[in-house]
Amino acid sequence: MSFRNKLQILLVLLVGVSCGLVLWLSLRKANGLAFELVQEKVLSIAVSTAPRIDGDRVEALVSPDQTGSTDHALVRETLQEVADANAVGALPVRFIYIVRPREEGSWEYVVGGAEKDEDDKPRLGDEVVFRPGAGKPARTVARVGDRFVRDSLGTTLSAFAPIPNAAGEPVAVLGVDIAAERILAMLRKLLFAGLAALLLALVLAAALGTWLSRKVTRPLTELRDFVRKLGQGDLSSRLEVKTSDEFGELTRAANLMAERLEERESLKGTLVHYVRSQAADSKLSDPETGERVRRKITVLVAELCGFDQLSSMLGNERVFALLNEYFSTMIDVVLRYRGSLEKSSDRSVIAVFGSAADDPHQEREAMQAALSMQNVLAQLVHEWNIQTSVPVSLEIGIHTADALASTLGRQDQLDFDSVRRVIETATEVKDLGRKRNNRLTVSEATAENLHHAFPLEAVVDDTLDYAVFRVEMPKPTLR
């Protein structure tokens, strides 16, 4: 999955979770407030109606035969007035009645006054069957239910208030059931409206996420295409810096990388101007048309060390100018001693002596070139007048061995694979000398043909199959 799609999904999920959480909290709060409103309404009706009931008349109603009597009718009339007064609105009264406890613990109806159908009205002495979840009333204190009760008759909430007699003693309990369907319907509408708003928010989030993800990932897409161009060799390509944020910094860093790569390629182009590359002749001619012979060659590998620190000190243009001067000078030294250069990379110079024809003095010429290169580098560093914590130095390794050559044509051509093996050995010699802090190290094959013309000191090492020698470096003469 692409980063753009991941970003779109993340934005939609973020909006969905955020809006869903807000909707859940809002509905939870709304339901809580609505329930408190219903509790307050039904309790206020019960508490305000109980004092209007004549407790002495209620206390006098003790026999079912008194149903329809004057006292019974007067009490029922009062209940009916309250029921009629609260029959409309969002919270209408569904039932209003008077009950009292029996000695054995059950409860019985005294008066019921809100039912329109006479057959539905409970009669005096009928046993009260409390609905599951409604709870029984308290005889001495007012109370309201802590949850809605749902049954076949609807959804209601009950409240109870004691009815005292003239002496102030509770003789019965007034019960009020209030219908909550309307307010619950309003809450359902609120839920549906919230879900619709959530769906709309998700649609808008998807659209906004698509636009935003494209805007955010466009610099990444441009950077990806830019890197691909660099990988295909188009080092002249550059990105336009459009912002000053992290993407702008990344764009500038990518352009800087491209400039450095282009400078390296330009530097290699300068080398190619001087160098006769053996790498281009990686395959020899057909054995039937050209003769192969073995030829002794001497390879010099020189690595420039301590130069990387200058990039942060001097800047790219100055460092490129110094490297150009360094390579040009080293090329002149190699050519002066009849060597040829292989294509080099980074900070290394690789020179081959004896490649054009048999040269009995190739080891001496390679040594003289190495000493001259060390002296020239010291002179350059002195002229550059650069003060660094790590000294700029040249690590050189020299090795002599046989390589295959083809005599086809006007000029012999060396086999690239055999030359590469000699280069690898010279590199090993150079690396070993670097570990021992030697600036110039030669292999045994090179040392045995120098005829004691240079001061050599054997290096004790068991990691190589051949002996190596350290060359004493004379102190360079600075002008």
Side-chain angles (χ1 to χ4, degrees):
M1 183 182 295
S2 65
F3 175 74
R4 175 179 295 179
N5 292 336
K6 291 179 181 178
L7 186 58
Q8 290 176 351
I9 294 174
L10 179 62
L11 289 174
V12 173
L13 288 178
L14 181 61
V15 172
V17 172
S18 301
C19 293
L21 182 60
V22 172
L23 177 61
W24 177 76
L25 291 175
S26 301
L27 290 177
R28 183 179 180 184
K29 186 67 173 177
N31 278 277
L33 291 175
F35 184 74
E36 291 177 3
L37 176 63
V38 177
Q39 281 186 315
E40 182 180 353
K41 177 67 178 294
V42 68
L43 184 61
S44 65
I45 294 175
V47 172
S48 62
T49 303
R52 297 176 56 185
I53 305 300
D54 189 341
D56 293 333
R57 283 198 177 98
V58 172
E59 190 176 13
L61 298 173
V62 294
S63 173
D65 297 337
Q66 293 178 288
T67 303
S69 64
T70 302
D71 290 339
H72 188 270
L74 291 174
V75 173
R76 178 186 290 180
E77 183 179 350
T78 303
L79 297 182
Q80 193 65 48
E81 291 177 359
V82 174
D84 293 341
N86 294 276
V88 295
L91 297 171
V93 171
R94 174 164 291 171
F95 304 114
I96 185 168
Y97 46 89
I98 296 174
V99 296
R100 62 188 171 196
R102 293 173 176 173
E103 293 181 358
E104 71 274 12
S106 62
W107 289 71
E108 66 178 6
Y109 282 103
V110 179
V111 179
E115 297 82 354
K116 296 181 179 179
D117 191 348
E118 189 68 26
D119 295 334
D120 291 336
K121 295 180 181 181
R123 299 176 62 81
L124 175 60
D126 290 348
E127 183 178 356
V128 180
V129 180
F130 295 101
R131 287 174 292 177
K136 294 182 178 181
R139 183 175 181 180
T140 58
V141 294
R143 62 171 293 271
V144 64
D146 55 0
R147 60 176 176 171
F148 291 116
V149 177
R150 293 178 175 84
D151 55 18
S152 59
L153 300 178
T155 302
T156 58
L157 185 66
S158 302
F160 303 94
I163 299 175
N165 57 16
E169 297 177 355
V171 295
V173 174
L174 174 70
V176 179
D177 294 347
I178 199 168
E181 284 88 354
R182 293 184 183 178
I183 195 166
L184 292 179
M186 294 174 61
L187 290 175
R188 284 194 295 271
K189 290 182 180 179
L190 181 62
L191 173 61
F192 293 146
L195 292 177
L198 176 60
L199 180 60
L200 179 60
L202 290 177
V203 173
L204 294 177
L208 179 62
T210 301
W211 174 80
L212 186 60
S213 61
R214 289 179 180 176
K215 182 177 180 61
V216 171
T217 58
R218 185 179 295 111
L220 295 179
T221 303
E222 294 176 353
L223 182 61
R224 179 199 62 190
D225 297 338
F226 172 72
V227 173
R228 286 179 179 176
K229 289 182 180 179
L230 293 183
Q232 295 171 358
D234 185 8
L235 302 181
S236 61
S237 178
R238 295 292 184 274
L239 288 171
E240 181 182 356
V241 181
K242 300 178 180 179
T243 61
S244 58
D245 54 10
E246 288 81 358
F247 287 110
E249 295 177 1
L250 183 60
T251 301
R252 283 188 286 271
N255 287 335
L256 181 60
M257 177 186 67
E259 291 176 3
R260 291 184 177 179
L261 291 174
E262 190 174 19
E263 290 172 356
R264 285 176 179 250
E265 289 298 318
S266 178
L267 186 58
K268 289 181 180 179
T270 303
L271 289 175
V272 173
H273 178 72
Y274 294 98
V275 177
R276 180 181 64 85
S277 174
Q278 304 296 339
D281 304 322
S282 58
K283 293 186 178 180
L284 295 178
S285 301
D286 191 343
E288 297 180 359
T289 58
E291 182 182 357
R292 292 183 176 182
V293 297
R294 301 190 69 84
R295 175 172 297 157
K296 183 178 73 172
I297 62 172
T298 299
V299 173
L300 179 152
V301 177
E303 180 182 358
L304 183 62
C305 302
F307 202 83
D308 292 336
Q309 61 183 323
L310 299 182
S311 297
S312 58
M313 296 174 54
L314 305 178
N316 295 328
E317 295 183 1
R318 177 60 173 158
V319 170
F320 175 70
L322 295 181
L323 281 176
N324 193 30
E325 183 180 2
Y326 162 77
F327 278 113
S328 298
T329 305
M330 294 303 163
I331 290 170
D332 291 339
V333 171
V334 172
L335 296 178
R336 187 190 314 153
Y337 289 98
R338 299 195 300 172
S340 62
L341 271 78
E342 294 298 311
K343 285 183 177 178
S344 304
S345 61
D346 296 332
R347 305 289 188 263
S348 297
V349 173
I350 302 175
V352 179
F353 297 85
S355 61
D358 291 330
D359 184 359
H361 306 293
Q362 58 185 263
E363 294 90 351
R364 181 187 296 271
E365 291 169 342
M367 283 292 295
Q368 290 175 340
L371 295 173
S372 180
M373 292 168 74
Q374 294 281 13
N375 190 66
V376 167
L377 177 63
Q379 184 66 38
L380 288 176
V381 173
H382 176 70
E383 293 176 357
W384 292 341
N385 192 24
I386 299 173
Q387 301 296 328
T388 59
S389 57
V390 179
V392 178
S393 60
L394 198 62
E395 308 288 347
I396 300 177
I398 303 176
H399 176 61
T400 302
D402 289 339
L404 292 177
S406 173
T407 60
L408 179 65
R410 300 177 58 185
Q411 188 175 22
D412 297 346
Q413 295 180 347
L414 292 177
D415 175 53
F416 176 73
D417 291 333
S418 59
V419 173
R420 179 173 53 82
R421 287 190 289 271
V422 182
I423 293 174
E424 292 174 351
T425 304
T427 302
E428 289 181 353
V429 173
K430 182 261 299 178
D431 292 339
L432 177 62
R434 184 174 184 178
K435 294 178 182 178
R436 301 301 179 88
N437 200 25
N438 300 333
R439 294 287 183 262
L440 176 55
T441 310
V442 300
S443 67
E444 181 181 13
T446 302
E448 66 184 7
N449 295 314
L450 293 177
H451 307 294
H452 306 290
F454 299 90
L456 302 178
E457 178 183 347
V459 177
V460 179
D461 186 81
D462 298 332
T463 61
L464 301 178
D465 298 334
Y466 48 86
V468 294
F469 295 85
R470 174 179 178 271
V471 182
E472 290 289 341
M473 296 292 301
K475 186 175 182 180
T477 301
L478 303 178
R479 299 188 297 273

